[in-house]
Amino acid sequence: MLKGKKVLLGITGSIAAYKSAYLVRLLVRAGAEVKVVMTDAAAGFIGPLTLSTLSRNEVLTRISSDDTWANHVMLGRWADVMVVAPLSCNTLAKMAHGICDNLLQAVYLSATCPVVVAPAMDEDMWKHPSTQNNLQLISSFGNNIISVNEGELASGLFGPGRMAEPEEIVEWLTTWFEKKNDFSGKTVLITAGPTYEKIDPVRFIGNRSSGKMGIAIASAFLERGARVQLILGPSSQPVPAGIRTIKVESAREMYEAALTAFEEADIAVLCAAVADYSIAAPASEKLKKENGAPQILLTPTRDILKSLGEKKSGNQLLVGFALETHNEEQNALKKLKDKRADLLVLNSLQEEGAGFGYNTNKITIFDRKGGVTRFEKRPKKEVANDILNTILKFSDA
Ligand code: CTP
């Protein structure tokens, strides 16, 4: 499946760079065309001559040499995918913060193709909060991360931080290319994040949803070829370029935007934690303490999922979510039926590391034909792809 694919391989300064030679060889053997860009630090671990021989292409290290300028913009446009393997801690930090002090960074920052990274570092560096934050940042920009392996590290210690093996990277790319366009031609509507219901000009009632899960789902659809319309409640999470986003605040605004967008949608995934009640009469001026505790009258909001379930035509597919703390399956199945969804994704607040704010989630998906699929706890990006795979399976059944 890599036949004819153009792979731009970025190599950075890590001992795992010695494996890049084998990676290039495997890629070329699988039929890919490979060009290599490496940092000066990488050239300390493996010689450019080895890589140019194996890739059958010139290896680039500098923005300019001998008065010739390396066209970093065209390199990113040439490639079907840019793979940075190994990704050192230093280059990760530069990618996260947009630093452009070498050719590899210039290529990365101007790349219009998808980017995949395979980190490699010692366990303590891997576990450092700055490394984990930087990984989250580059993932939020839409970059793909191939997980590190656990095992013997250059320090002699055992733990997480080993770069994925070249065979695993090639397999990852093969699977990724296969599934890459499986939603092409589809228009997808996603609601995500919390809603805020105004009490007065400075106060609101909200909830703890971060929007991370919905944005991960929107990103997965985009990567797999769909046209994505995201309706996002108040959230500080970055949204990758290419996702059409309407920012809303209240449940009412989300309802109106979703109803309009649904007319064009083939698939709708309603991930937002929508307020069930809004304030009947929000104050137009700030409520003052001296007037005593306010009596706030609440009024029910419209249920977006239920409304779309009532409007849904035969070829539209509707996916709902349920966040439950008790009687989880029973409540989820009731929501699936009452709201006329095709699939319902249950996430439990009882599960450590799952739900609001976390980067991981553990889900079970129920479908209206009685099917149940249970998944292990995984990063939200992988959970997003599990949901997309289940949608495909359900529509093909
Ligand atoms: N939902 C919606 N509009 C609402 C409330 C919920 O679209 N006004 C959607 C959510 O996006 C989710 C599903 O309905 O896909 C279930 O939401 P949840 O909050 O778990 O359930 P509720 O129906 O609000 O019921 P309860 O709060 O009693 O559990």
Side-chain angles (χ1 to χ4, degrees):
M1 269 309 282
L2 293 184
K3 199 165 167 41
K5 297 288 184 233
K6 299 188 177 89
V7 179
L8 181 61
L9 177 63
I11 306 178
T12 72
S14 151
I15 177 63
Y18 81 91
K19 294 185 186 172
S20 304
Y22 189 47
L23 177 59
V24 173
R25 196 181 176 83
L26 289 180
L27 288 169
V28 170
R29 202 181 280 163
E33 198 182 328
V34 183
K35 288 189 182 177
V36 175
V37 175
M38 59 201 294
T39 61
D40 284 342
F45 289 98
I46 184 161
L49 183 60
T50 308
L51 295 158
S52 65
T53 311
L54 291 169
S55 67
R56 302 169 197 154
N57 271 315
E58 184 190 0
V59 171
L60 299 161
T61 50
R62 297 285 164 89
I63 291 190
S64 66
S65 56
D66 299 333
D67 297 332
T68 314
W69 179 67
N71 193 333
H72 56 84
V73 178
M74 287 336 264
L75 273 172
R77 296 212 169 183
W78 167 83
D80 293 313
V81 64
M82 177 176 185
V83 181
V84 185
L87 171 69
S88 68
C89 204
N90 189 33
T91 296
L92 166 65
K94 290 185 192 177
M95 286 171 76
H97 299 284
I99 293 169
C100 186
D101 62 352
N102 61 27
L103 177 63
L104 193 142
Q105 284 305 115
V107 172
Y108 162 69
L109 289 167
S110 52
T112 49
C113 62
V115 178
V116 182
V117 301
M121 60 199 79
D122 241 293
E123 180 181 10
D124 297 333
M125 289 169 97
W126 173 253
K127 287 188 172 161
H128 196 280
S130 64
T131 305
Q132 293 304 317
N133 275 341
N134 287 338
L135 282 165
Q136 269 176 43
L137 264 177
I138 68 161
S139 168
S140 73
F141 303 156
N143 298 313
N144 301 280
I145 298 162
I146 303 182
S147 312
V148 293
N149 287 339
E150 287 203 23
E152 191 180 358
L153 302 164
S155 58
L157 297 171
F158 280 79
R162 276 175 71 90
M163 185 179 85
E165 294 303 324
E167 289 87 349
E168 291 172 316
I169 297 175
V170 171
E171 194 184 320
W172 193 99
L173 288 171
T174 308
T175 315
W176 180 76
F177 272 116
E178 271 169 12
K179 71 178 185 192
K180 199 171 164 281
N181 276 318
D182 50 8
F183 282 92
S184 93
K186 299 283 182 209
T187 300
V188 183
L189 158 67
I190 291 158
T191 66
T195 60
Y196 286 179
E197 306 307 320
K198 189 173 158 188
I199 297 174
D200 69 10
V202 292
R203 303 176 179 98
F204 60 84
I205 297 179
N207 61 65
R208 293 180 194 280
S209 169
S210 63
K212 281 182 186 171
M213 192 64 242
I215 294 171
I217 294 171
S219 310
F221 272 116
L222 182 75
E223 278 164 22
R224 293 170 70 162
R227 210 164 143 260
V228 186
Q229 170 78 75
L230 173 68
I231 299 171
L232 182 62
S235 162
S236 56
Q237 298 298 314
V239 178
I243 295 174
R244 292 190 303 147
T245 307
I246 299 178
K247 285 247 181 185
V248 295
E249 191 160 291
S250 64
R252 189 196 171 93
E253 286 169 11
M254 188 173 275
Y255 172 83
E256 283 164 5
L259 240 68
T260 309
F262 191 56
E263 286 170 18
E264 309 225 313
D266 300 297
I267 300 167
V269 182
L270 302 201
C271 199
V274 189
D276 290 328
Y277 297 96
S278 64
I279 316 303
S284 57
E285 289 176 357
K286 188 181 172 201
L287 296 174
K288 301 301 284 178
K289 198 162 42 188
E290 64 235 31
N291 297 334
Q295 298 292 314
I296 297 175
L297 186 66
L298 300 177
T299 178
T301 57
R302 293 239 181 87
D303 191 311
I304 307 170
L305 180 60
K306 197 165 182 201
S307 306
L308 300 192
E310 283 157 8
K311 284 192 176 305
K312 182 170 71 112
S313 72
N315 42 19
Q316 286 179 306
L317 192 131
L318 191 56
V319 184
F321 268 71
L323 182 74
E324 304 293 340
T325 55
H326 58 283
N327 292 341
E328 295 155 322
E329 300 213 2
Q330 206 181 321
N331 287 332
L333 286 168
K334 185 169 181 324
K335 283 178 189 169
L336 175 74
K337 188 159 170 269
D338 291 351
K339 304 195 187 197
R340 301 187 56 205
D342 296 291
L343 299 170
L344 197 116
V345 181
L346 166 68
N347 39 147
S348 166
L349 270 189
Q350 282 182 349
E351 197 65 45
E352 166 92 24
F356 289 163
Y358 288 104
N359 293 316
T360 48
N361 208 353
K362 185 169 188 288
I363 58 160
T364 303
I365 304 183
F366 302 91
D367 70 48
R368 71 172 155 74
K369 295 177 191 159
V372 185
T373 321
R374 292 171 213 282
F375 297 89
E376 290 305 312
K377 185 163 80 187
R378 279 145 73 68
K380 284 189 171 166
K381 196 174 166 86
E382 290 171 26
V383 171
N385 277 303
D386 289 337
I387 294 171
L388 268 64
N389 294 339
T390 310
I391 290 175
L392 272 188
K393 229 187 264 169
F394 180 78
S395 348
D396 290 346

